[in-house]
Amino acid sequence: MAKALFALALWLCTSLSVLAATPQKKPPTWGELSQEQQQILAPLSVDWDNLEPERKRKWIGIAKRYPKMKPDEQARVQRRMQAWAKLTPKERQAARERYKKLEKLPPDKKQGLKQQWEEYNRLPEQERRKLGSTPRKPAAPARPAQSPAGPALPPAALPAQPEAPPNSVAPVPAANP
């Protein structure tokens, strides 16, 4: 019995060390992606071959989930991917850092920031332009806009809304690259 246990332990150690030493498969180049993946990930085509392997894997994961998403979710992923593709590498890194910082906030602070962001989005387009940001669709049905002296915050005080953060695509029901 002791010999069998020893043999099993030895086998496990050798097997695990071999698995740990096996390098991960290199993510595909743009040309190696399937036609469907290329169509879904089209906004990233220019930068694809320069993305880090980890980022490529995350985007491929999003592409796999994409067909199962509802049409409005697919449209949101496409909008965010297009906006993400327009960012410079420095802007993308800043967005990732802001996202990580926001993820560490306590739930009550997150909720407060979310409410402020929704209030900002309910402002008339002219007010948002004065504050220096582009308009977005409100997350909830629009309420009457606050007066200009209301609780609107300048965009710098609002939570960053990265357009498809590469390491997870929160809040898209999928993943921030």
Side-chain angles (χ1 to χ4, degrees):
M1 179 72 174
K3 285 184 179 181
L5 286 175
F6 178 74
L8 178 63
L10 183 61
W11 178 80
L12 281 173
C13 289
T14 350
S15 300
L16 293 176
S17 65
V18 169
L19 288 175
T22 305
Q24 283 190 334
K25 183 181 172 189
K26 187 178 177 184
T29 63
W30 183 257
E32 295 169 339
L33 291 174
S34 70
Q35 188 68 27
E36 181 183 33
Q37 289 172 322
Q38 286 183 359
Q39 185 177 1
I40 293 167
L41 300 172
L44 304 173
S45 64
V46 173
D47 296 321
W48 183 262
D49 290 330
N50 297 324
L51 291 176
E52 299 167 8
E54 176 187 339
R55 307 270 179 240
K56 287 182 181 181
R57 286 186 196 97
K58 291 184 186 245
W59 285 115
I60 289 170
I62 292 168
K64 285 180 183 176
R65 290 186 298 275
Y66 188 86
K68 296 175 187 149
M69 293 179 188
K70 296 176 184 173
D72 61 321
E73 292 170 331
Q74 290 179 347
R76 181 173 49 194
V77 167
Q78 286 296 316
R79 280 192 315 271
R80 290 181 173 187
M81 202 179 320
Q82 289 166 0
W84 185 257
K86 291 178 185 176
L87 297 177
T88 65
K90 193 173 185 177
E91 290 170 328
R92 291 176 189 179
Q93 186 58 39
R96 287 183 193 109
E97 289 170 10
R98 283 191 305 266
Y99 179 81
K100 287 176 186 174
K101 187 177 176 183
L102 286 172
E103 282 297 300
K104 292 179 183 177
L105 289 177
D108 59 327
K109 292 237 184 211
K110 281 185 191 180
Q111 185 60 35
L113 286 173
K114 184 177 179 181
Q115 288 173 343
Q116 290 174 335
W117 183 250
E118 289 170 355
E119 288 173 11
Y120 171 78
N121 278 322
R122 283 191 289 272
L123 289 173
E125 188 174 335
Q126 298 82 358
E127 291 296 318
R128 289 188 295 235
R129 281 190 190 146
K130 287 179 188 175
L131 294 171
S133 181
T134 57
R136 291 180 166 249
K137 286 185 178 178
R143 292 188 300 187
Q146 299 284 335
S147 69
L153 295 175
L158 295 172
Q161 297 291 319
E163 287 299 325
N167 292 334
S168 74
V169 185
V172 175
N176 196 356

